[in-house]
Structure formats: C-alpha cells, structure tokens
Amino acid sequence: MSYFSDMTWKDSIKDIIDILIVSYIIYKVLNMVRGTRAVQLLKGILVLVVIWAVSTFLDLYTLKWLMNQIFTFGIFAIFIIFQPELRRGLEQLGRGKIFGRSAENDEELSKLIGEVIKAVNYLAQRKIGALIVFERATGLNEYTESGIPMRSVVSSELLINIFIPNTPLHDGALIMQDGQIAAAACYLPLSENPFISKELGTRHRAAIGISEVADSVSVVVSEETGQISLAINGQIVRDIKEESLISKLYQELRVTSMLQEKRSAFWKRKGEKSNG
C-alpha cells in the first residue's frame, strides 16, 4: 500500500511503459511460436512449472529437489530446443521496420507476383508439383549452390517449363533472389517438426524446412491434389486461395524489397563519398 502512496506521476508513467514493453515482447514471442512445435514444448514447460509450484506449496522435498534440478539444467536445454525459433526471432529483431518505397518498384513486384500466380495456377490445374522459394533478408546462397544456376528474368512460361515432369530441372526447388530466378533443382533441408501432418510429402516438408532456418517465403503446388500452399516462418497454409496468396506474397515480399532498396541506397552513398 505504501508503494502506491509514495508513487509520483513519473513513476506511474515509467511503470506503464514498462508493462507495455513487456506485454509487447510476450505478444511477439507468442506470435513467433504460434503454429510451431514450440507451442507443444511451452505446454510441457507449463506443466513442469505447475508441478514445481505444487511441490513447493506442499513442501514435497524429493519432488521439489527433482524439479529444481530439471530447471537448473533445463535453461541450457531450452536454448538448444528453441534454437530455430530464437534464431528467427533475432533475425526479425535485426531487420526491424523500414518505410518508403517507389511506385516503380511496387509495379515490378506486382508483375513478379503476377507471373508466379499464372504459373502456379497452370501447374495446379494439371497437378504438376512445384516448389518456389523467395529469398528475403536471410541469404540462401548455400542452397542455390546445390542446384543449377540460372539468373533468369521471371516469366510464367519459364516457371512452367522448369517444373514440367521428366525435364532436367523439374526435381527440386526453384529459388528467387532479387526478383530473378537464381537457381533451379535446388536441395533444401526437410523440416523435422514431428507435428507436421503425415499427409505432407517431401516437397511440403522442404518448404517448411527452409522457412525454419531462414525467413524465406515458399509456394508449393501438390502433384497429388493440385492444391497450392504457402510456407512462412515454419508454418504452412494449405489450399490457399488465389486472392489470399497474392495479398500475402505482396505483403511479405514488399518488406524485403524495401530493405534491399535501403541497402542499395546506403552503398551508393558510400561509393559517391569515396569517389568524391
């Protein structure tokens, strides 16, 4: 009671800001792990916390000692278990928010997405499997090196040709970098998430897997059902509708393009200064 009576208006504002920051961090962490294996692991940790609280309240010496040992070594286990989520979270923190963009680049992005949509619709109608990965802030060079380099302008016709069965490039993933087709027939890491549906095959697991180790965006066409899926941040949306796919691709890739523009402008200014 004395704490509240001694509070000044500055202390009140400071506490409100403190609570808002902590609430925002918790909100972002929950958003980051939503739909991933981390959710199940967090439930397990919550169960352990409840057991520890009960053992402390009832003074169950042996159980309390055991839980204390688990928590002591569990801190290190958490860093290992949540490594993909922690890595992704730190990358998102490092990228931050960037504003400002030209209409010309918006038009280029819209054209790129339009070509991809035309291609995946064609492939989906004929149940031709495909996996297209868009690089964002995290580089994918180690994966493009496993495939056939292309550095080609994006067109729906070329995308369709690449995935036609029994052609040299159809098996594997196609990776896009800087608005171009960087490489085809690339090998990607498969997701080891045990909670992924058993219905999903290698192509979908690769799409989820690459999104777990990088901030990439993957579009998948199923050769069994012809359904189009979207994988981001270790999560996959199956049978996504065309309008939602266009909206999500534009939203995610627009942020990446803005980041690349800022980097290019930075290095251009550096070059002008050095030349001057």
Side-chain angles (χ1 to χ4, degrees):
M1 191 68 182
S2 59
Y3 172 77
F4 291 103
S5 60
D6 294 336
M7 282 182 65
T8 63
W9 66 272
K10 289 184 178 179
D11 292 329
S12 301
I13 293 175
K14 183 177 69 175
D15 288 344
I16 291 171
I17 293 173
D18 189 22
I19 293 169
L20 288 174
I21 291 173
V22 172
S23 301
Y24 180 74
I25 291 173
I26 293 173
Y27 168 75
K28 295 300 286 185
V29 169
L30 290 176
N31 267 349
M32 185 177 66
V33 302
R34 185 178 59 185
T36 68
R37 60 179 178 173
V39 174
Q40 305 300 325
L41 294 171
L42 285 174
K43 289 179 181 178
I45 292 172
L46 182 61
V47 171
L48 291 177
V49 170
V50 171
I51 294 173
W52 172 81
V54 171
S55 65
T56 301
F57 179 75
L58 299 178
D59 198 24
L60 303 175
Y61 177 80
T62 304
L63 183 57
K64 185 167 65 175
W65 175 86
L66 179 61
M67 297 309 298
N68 286 334
Q69 299 305 308
I70 290 174
F71 286 134
T72 300
F73 295 103
I75 298 297
F76 300 102
I78 286 173
F79 283 106
I80 296 171
I81 294 170
F82 289 107
Q83 186 268 338
E85 286 78 12
L86 290 171
R87 174 179 170 177
R88 185 162 60 249
L90 291 172
E91 286 174 351
Q92 291 174 357
L93 181 64
R95 288 195 300 270
K97 300 280 185 181
I98 299 170
F99 302 94
R101 179 176 173 81
S102 69
E104 181 183 349
N105 285 325
D106 274 344
E107 187 178 339
E108 290 177 2
L109 179 58
S110 298
K111 183 179 177 183
L112 169 68
I113 293 174
E115 295 296 324
V116 172
I117 295 298
K118 281 165 60 179
V120 296
N121 280 338
Y122 179 96
L123 296 169
Q125 289 170 9
R126 291 157 179 80
K127 295 186 178 180
I128 299 173
L131 172 52
I132 301 173
V133 180
F134 296 88
E135 180 187 80
R136 295 206 287 176
T138 305
L140 300 177
N141 285 344
E142 63 180 297
Y143 303 108
T144 58
E145 289 170 0
S146 69
I148 307 299
M150 296 188 67
R151 283 293 164 196
S152 306
V153 175
V154 178
S155 70
S156 58
E157 292 81 6
L158 179 55
L159 293 173
I160 291 167
N161 253 346
I162 288 172
F163 290 109
I164 293 296
N166 303 319
T167 56
L169 301 179
H170 89 281
D171 195 18
L174 180 150
I175 297 179
M176 292 200 187
Q177 295 175 325
D178 302 325
Q180 290 184 321
I181 300 173
C186 300
Y187 294 97
L188 303 181
L190 300 182
S191 175
E192 297 180 359
N193 187 342
F195 304 109
I196 294 176
S197 171
K198 297 293 188 294
E199 298 175 3
L200 298 181
T202 304
R203 190 174 281 113
H204 290 80
R205 289 181 177 273
I208 299 171
I210 192 65
S211 73
E212 289 174 343
V213 299
D215 63 342
S216 60
V217 177
S218 301
V219 177
V220 191
V221 179
S222 170
E223 64 183 32
E224 285 81 19
T225 64
Q227 291 181 348
I228 301 171
S229 302
L230 181 70
I232 304 176
N233 295 329
Q235 304 177 51
I236 189 165
V237 179
R238 300 171 63 184
D239 196 17
I240 188 170
K241 302 307 176 188
E242 182 176 330
E243 296 78 9
S244 300
L245 178 59
I246 293 172
S247 174
K248 195 63 179 174
L249 284 177
Y250 189 81
Q251 175 189 336
E252 298 293 336
L253 299 181
R254 190 171 188 269
V255 173
T256 308
S257 297
M258 288 190 287
L259 179 59
Q260 290 168 347
E261 285 174 31
K262 185 166 183 179
R263 285 174 178 167
S264 299
F266 171 77
W267 289 112
K268 184 178 180 181
R269 288 196 300 270
K270 292 279 286 185
E272 289 172 352
K273 287 180 181 178
S274 61
N275 291 333

